[in-house]
Amino acid sequence: MNLNLVILGGILVGVGSSVLLLFNGRIAGISGIVKNLFLAEEWKNRQNLWRLFFVMGLLSGGLLGRVFAPDQAVDWGKAVWPEKIVIMGGFLVVY
């Protein structure tokens, strides 16, 4: 795995979160953004449009990475960390 691409990805996430905070006054909490994306009352006054674009940007970033740098993608069949540790890390990130 190319460490430069990892650092670049972290920088892009940081810049995206900072832009969201600067222009929208919100912190980029992905779980809250996705949850509110599916609330009907938010669509009535177009408050969900930025959420839709934010999630689309996250997904398209992964897709573009897979297309343009397929050798850098994680092979989950050869994961370095045991599955239990990855699941525990996911729970720690949420809380």
Side-chain angles (χ1 to χ4, degrees):
M1 182 176 292
N2 187 345
L3 187 59
N4 292 331
L5 291 177
V6 173
I7 293 170
L8 177 64
I11 290 171
L12 288 174
V13 169
V15 168
S17 299
S18 299
V19 167
L20 182 63
L21 181 62
L22 180 67
F23 289 108
N24 211 358
R26 297 179 183 262
I27 296 174
I30 304 305
S31 59
I33 291 172
V34 172
K35 178 190 81 165
N36 289 325
L37 186 61
F38 294 103
L39 295 177
E41 64 266 5
E42 297 287 331
W43 283 104
K44 290 179 184 173
N45 52 8
R46 295 186 176 249
Q47 291 296 313
N48 267 352
L49 199 54
W50 71 268
R51 290 181 177 98
L52 179 65
F53 287 130
F54 192 85
V55 171
M56 285 173 44
L58 288 176
L59 296 175
S60 64
L63 179 64
L64 289 173
R66 179 65 101 162
V67 169
F68 291 109
D71 55 326
Q72 300 296 320
V74 174
D75 183 2
W76 292 107
K78 298 178 184 175
V80 177
W81 296 95
E83 190 174 292
K84 290 178 185 177
I85 292 180
V86 173
I87 292 171
M88 285 176 25
F91 280 112
L92 289 174
V93 168
V94 172
Y95 298 106

